[in-house]
């Protein structure tokens, strides 16, 4: 279980992650609209990026250990090592939640958009989005192409 925090509230960084048998980390399969970059070499985290480290800790296949390190008190920072298209980047993100983001920004987000969604397969299973607006076909095609490029950087999905 994650460590207890003052007030007991633990929040994440707004990423859905999955394991892939041949990749060195966890693959980003969802990015919440409230995922906020604080500093670093990337302006945003994208579907298909690979999270290799959390605050310097090397990501393992232990989903609970990864989750424990990503969760923390609201508005605290966590530094992620990201692999995108074969290049390593470092980015610092803000731990937050959809409800806190909505309150601070005046925006509304649907219930259930907060938290972690981990899958153990190479392809994430679709989940109900609680009435959220679905991405457009163009956006889905862009995300799919980015994921394919990320996987191709490791030789995954190519014919032998």
């Amino acid at each position: 279980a994650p460590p207890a925090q003052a007030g007991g509230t633990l929040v994440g960084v707004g990423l859905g992650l999955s394991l892939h048998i041949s990749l060195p980390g966890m693959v980003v399969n969802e990015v919440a609209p409230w995922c906020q970059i604080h500093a670093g070499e990337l302006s945003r985290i994208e579907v298909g990026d690979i999270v290799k480290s959390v605050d310097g800790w090397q990501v393992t296949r232990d989903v609970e250990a990864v989750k424990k390190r990503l969760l923390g008190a609201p508005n605290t920072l966590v530094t992620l090592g990201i692999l995108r298209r074969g290049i390593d980047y470092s980015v610092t993100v803000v731990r937050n939640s959809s409800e806190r983001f909505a309150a601070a920004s005046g925006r509304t987000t649907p219930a259930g958009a907060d938290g972690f969604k981990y899958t153990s397969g190479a392809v994430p299973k679709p989940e109900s989005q609680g009435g959220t607006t679905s991405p457009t076909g163009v956006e889905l095609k862009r995300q799919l192409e980015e994921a394919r490029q990320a996987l191709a950087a490791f030789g995954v999905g190519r014919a032998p």
Side-chain angles (χ1 to χ4, degrees), residues 23-132:
L23 296 179
M26 296 189 82
V27 179
V28 175
N29 59 36
E30 183 177 0
V31 181
W34 51 266
C35 180
Q36 181 183 358
I37 303 293
H38 176 74
E41 302 167 308
L42 298 171
S43 61
R44 68 185 183 131
I45 296 174
E46 299 177 354
V47 169
D49 286 349
I50 298 169
V51 178
K52 291 179 64 179
S53 66
V54 179
D55 281 339
W57 175 81
Q58 194 70 28
V59 169
T60 66
R61 301 193 64 74
D62 183 344
V63 172
E64 287 305 312
V66 174
K67 184 175 179 178
K68 179 178 178 179
R69 284 168 174 80
L70 287 173
L71 287 173
N75 299 315
T76 57
L77 302 177
V78 61
T79 300
L80 304 178
I82 301 288
L83 181 65
R84 179 183 294 168
R85 297 179 190 99
I87 301 172
D88 286 306
Y89 298 94
S90 179
V91 63
T92 302
V93 295
V94 180
R95 289 182 179 107
N96 211 334
S97 70
S98 58
E99 291 79 17
R100 289 178 173 278
F101 175 78
S105 67
R107 293 173 57 182
T108 57
T109 55
D114 190 16
F116 296 86
K117 295 175 183 165
Y118 292 102
T119 59
S120 59
V123 179
K125 295 179 175 74
E127 297 186 27
S128 168
Q129 295 298 310
T132 62

